[in-house]
Amino acid sequence: MSVAAGCRSASEPGAQAPLFVPTSDRTVVRTLQGVPATDGAGVKLTRVIHQPALQNLDPFLMLDRFHSNDANAYIAGFPNHPHRGFETVTVMLEGRMRHRDSRGNSGLIQGRGAQWMTAGRGIIHSEMPEQESGLMSGFQLWINLPAKEKMCPPYYQDLPPERLAEATLSSVGSRLRVIAGNPQGLAGPVRDRPTQPTLLTLTLEDDQPFELELPEGHVAFAFVHVGQVHLGPEARASAVREGHIALLSQGKRLRLQARDRRSAVLLAAAKPLHEPIVQHGPFVMNTEAEIHQAIADYQRGVLDKA
């Protein structure tokens, strides 16, 4: 499937209503660099959201970037650990990660695939590399759940590469891969979620600009993990360097262009919840009392029990 890049217009003789309705442009409000961190059993990563300068970006709670061909940086993985009250999204670019949980579920997250896990009332799971060498590269994104759904049953969507919606953007191979949402008419496979997320990866192989529309009112960010990308309308575009997140203004249309080198971006947007966020490690609730209950449930071995 091919999706045309750039802006298109049309005309129709005799039309009474305007054929072109101006669309507000999203621009870069702020950029931040990810910071080195470790998690799990010592996995080395870059923390982008949930760092000192950006604790959260409602409804996004955390964004980690992992990228290494040194097995010592990732081989220990993420042994059994609990979650309650939010969703975890793993986007795997290269490598393989095996997940298992306390309810007997197991699956493989492979390169160019993804996994969307709704922790809900609670799950205890592990995510361990299923390789002993080679490049391990991808992201983990945490997305909040509204208060009314924090105690819903856990749910997995394992999404192998062939399930993601994909489009070619240019003759030299620029590509769009959609995990969630409906950008450019491509429907991502993730089921309807309360935050109505859009999540996609974009690889730009040339300097041809690409435009897409994001839902108005949704919080949005772009993380450049390869090269450099100019974001925003041509006359007001901001250059965002590799390893930096760009927080985007409100609006609808976003223009992206890799002007001088091959580049790649993770792009996300979602409806903010405007609810209190109380986070204690792997538990994210609305009140301190709910956090204390989550800890007590975990200690008593009933976190993942209905």
Side-chain angles (χ1 to χ4, degrees):
M1 180 177 183
S2 177
V3 174
C7 201
R8 299 287 184 267
S9 62
S11 61
E12 181 181 348
Q16 299 302 309
L19 292 177
F20 177 74
V21 178
T23 301
S24 57
D25 290 299
R26 287 188 182 253
T27 57
V28 175
V29 173
R30 182 186 179 194
T31 61
L32 288 167
Q33 187 170 13
V35 299
T38 59
D39 211 333
V43 176
K44 295 180 181 179
L45 48 81
T46 299
R47 182 140 294 164
V48 184
I49 299 175
H50 200 58
Q51 57 158 298
L54 186 62
Q55 281 295 306
N56 58 69
L57 187 66
D58 181 21
F60 302 111
L61 302 167
M62 189 189 80
L63 175 65
D64 282 346
R65 162 76 161 137
F66 51 91
H67 182 84
S68 180
N69 56 16
D70 176 7
N72 292 325
Y74 62 73
I75 198 66
F78 303 89
N80 278 344
H81 57 282
H83 291 300
R84 173 178 280 182
F86 62 100
E87 304 189 284
T88 71
V89 184
T90 302
V91 179
M92 189 68 74
L93 303 177
E94 298 284 347
R96 300 183 307 279
M97 191 87 75
R98 174 70 63 179
H99 78 87
R100 293 184 173 88
D101 73 23
S102 53
R103 305 182 70 176
N105 298 308
S106 176
L108 182 65
I109 315 169
Q110 54 187 303
R112 299 190 304 115
Q115 182 200 71
W116 198 288
M117 185 188 81
T118 302
R121 69 156 286 113
I123 198 73
I124 300 168
H125 78 152
S126 65
E127 299 156 292
M128 303 298 292
E130 198 163 272
Q131 62 188 70
E132 296 181 355
S133 62
L135 179 62
M136 177 76 71
S137 180
F139 301 93
Q140 185 158 103
L141 177 66
W142 290 10
I143 304 177
N144 207 3
L145 285 169
K148 65 182 180 180
E149 295 200 23
K150 283 187 175 293
M151 298 296 283
C152 70
Y155 188 90
Y156 284 102
Q157 274 192 281
D158 284 322
L159 304 169
E162 61 270 18
R163 286 202 58 198
L164 302 189
E166 186 169 319
T168 301
L169 305 178
S170 73
S171 59
V172 297
S174 294
R175 300 196 73 78
L176 169 68
R177 295 175 59 78
V178 180
I179 299 165
N182 193 38
Q184 304 300 104
L186 292 174
V190 171
R191 64 188 181 131
D192 289 343
R193 307 308 307 128
T195 52
Q196 302 169 16
T198 299
L199 182 63
L200 59 90
T201 60
L202 186 63
T203 303
L204 300 172
E205 301 284 356
D206 59 15
D207 62 357
Q208 183 174 351
F210 172 66
E211 291 183 358
L212 77 165
E213 292 189 352
L214 298 171
E216 291 189 276
H218 284 200
V219 169
F221 72 81
F223 180 76
V224 177
H225 57 97
V226 176
Q228 178 173 278
V229 176
H230 285 74
L231 300 174
E234 186 171 12
R236 293 181 290 139
S238 298
V240 182
R241 290 178 288 130
E242 183 173 322
H244 288 70
I245 185 174
L247 310 186
L248 302 175
S249 70
Q250 285 298 315
K252 192 170 183 181
R253 179 176 54 207
L254 178 63
R255 184 180 188 273
L256 306 95
Q257 184 181 22
R259 294 183 179 176
D260 56 5
R261 71 193 83 167
R262 179 184 184 274
S263 302
V265 181
L266 177 78
L267 179 64
K271 179 182 177 181
L273 296 176
H274 303 300
E275 294 181 353
I277 297 172
V278 182
Q279 181 169 351
H280 181 82
F283 307 131
V284 183
M285 304 301 289
N286 297 101
T287 69
E288 291 286 351
E290 290 169 336
I291 290 292
H292 295 323
Q293 186 63 57
I295 295 171
D297 288 348
Y298 178 53
Q299 292 173 338
R300 292 189 298 118
V302 298
L303 181 81
D304 57 342
K305 304 297 188 292

